[in-house]
């Protein structure tokens, strides 16, 4: 009878250990994934803030009749594309995130061209509404950078959690997959050329 109880006891202890490890891993994955989803919501909020500022900026600039219409149209079209592109937090694949980033980078480029063009209009540069909107836009760009950094940090923690052994076994059982991160924009490694 004693010989029978020892293997049963070992199997029971091993079963309890595996059960608690599996439940603990699952709960850890859920918490990490919720952290990623929360950081993603913050990224979307900051991009939406920027998109909400753009119509006011464009309307302020439109007041100057001789302003380049092509530049304004580029900003409006880029904003339209950027606001129409959304990603469900459960589908933050590297491909979807790269597509989202590309659309946002196009909007950033259009805004940069607008702000460079403004340099030719001293009256507009002195306009108080324009100056306030420009300051808000700069602040929003900083908030976007911080939100993206925080998002990337939470994704790295999540991905590390589900890829390490033995968590990777449990992650596969439960269907948790790695998430994508923001990458530097194409050409970001090159310093901008300034000509006077």
């Amino acid at each position: 009878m004693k010989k029978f109880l020892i293997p049963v006891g070992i199997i029971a202890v091993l079963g309890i250990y595996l059960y608690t490890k599996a439940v603990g891993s699952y709960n850890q994955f859920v918490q990490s994934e919720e952290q990623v989803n929360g950081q993603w919501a913050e990224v979307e909020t900051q991009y939406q803030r920027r998109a909400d500022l753009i119509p006011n900026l464009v309307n302020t600039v439109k007041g100057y009749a001789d302003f380049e219409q092509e530049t304004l149209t580029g900003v409006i079209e880029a904003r339209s594309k950027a606001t129409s592109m959304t990603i469900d937090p459960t589908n933050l694949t590297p491909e979807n995130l790269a597509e989202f980033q590309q659309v946002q980078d196009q909007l950033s480029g259009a805004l940069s061209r607008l702000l460079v063009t403004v340099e030719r209009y001293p009256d507009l540069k002195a306009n108080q509404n324009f100056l306030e909107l420009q300051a808000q836009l700069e602040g929003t760009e900083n908030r976007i950078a911080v939100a993206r950094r925080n998002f990337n940090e939470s994704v790295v923690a999540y991905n590390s959690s589900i890829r390490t052994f033995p968590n990777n076994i449990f992650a596969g059982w439960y269907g948790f997959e790695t998430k994508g991160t923001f990458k530097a924009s194409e050409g970001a490694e090159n310093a901008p050329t300034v000509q006077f």
Side-chain angles (χ1 to χ4, degrees):
M1 185 77 164
K2 269 188 171 181
K3 288 183 179 182
F4 175 73
L5 290 176
I6 291 174
V8 169
I10 291 173
I11 291 172
V13 168
L14 188 58
I16 291 170
Y17 171 76
L18 285 175
Y19 174 77
T20 57
K21 181 67 177 164
V23 169
S25 295
Y26 179 81
N27 290 339
Q28 177 190 356
F29 300 154
V30 168
Q31 289 172 352
S32 295
E33 190 172 51
E34 287 303 314
Q35 179 70 25
V36 169
N37 292 346
Q39 291 300 327
W40 177 249
E42 181 62 25
V43 168
E44 286 183 316
T45 299
Q46 295 311 324
Y47 276 119
Q48 185 61 50
R49 176 182 162 83
R50 176 174 74 173
D52 291 345
L53 286 172
I54 291 171
N56 294 332
L57 185 67
V58 168
N59 286 335
T60 301
V61 173
K62 269 185 183 176
Y64 290 79
D66 58 343
F67 198 83
E68 287 88 352
Q69 193 62 33
E70 181 181 330
T71 305
L72 291 175
T73 304
V75 171
I76 293 167
E77 289 173 358
R79 179 190 181 272
S80 175
K81 286 180 187 175
T83 56
S84 67
M85 172 74 181
T86 59
I87 299 177
D88 180 18
T90 60
N91 198 16
L92 290 170
T93 63
E95 298 80 22
N96 287 344
L97 210 51
E99 186 180 342
F100 180 84
Q101 184 175 348
Q102 181 182 17
V103 171
Q104 294 298 334
D105 287 347
Q106 289 173 354
L107 178 55
S108 294
L111 282 172
S112 295
R113 285 188 294 281
L114 174 68
L115 295 176
V116 166
T117 306
V118 163
E119 292 298 318
R120 294 186 227 148
Y121 296 86
D123 291 342
L124 177 57
K125 284 182 5 183
N127 179 294
Q128 189 61 37
N129 286 341
F130 177 78
L131 293 174
E132 287 175 16
L133 288 167
Q134 187 177 17
Q136 287 181 26
L137 194 58
E138 289 168 359
T140 300
E141 292 297 329
N142 290 335
R143 289 177 183 190
I144 289 170
V146 169
R148 284 173 53 153
R149 184 192 71 224
N150 291 343
F151 172 78
N152 280 351
E153 288 172 356
S154 65
V155 168
V156 167
Y158 168 80
N159 287 346
S160 297
S161 172
I162 68 169
R163 292 184 62 217
T164 55
F165 182 81
N167 288 348
N168 60 344
I169 295 169
F170 298 117
W173 287 352
Y174 298 131
F176 287 95
E177 297 178 358
T178 58
K179 309 258 187 213
T181 58
F182 281 101
K183 309 267 189 261
S185 300
E186 204 171 300
E189 70 278 358
N190 302 324
T193 305
V194 178
Q195 295 178 344
F196 295 100

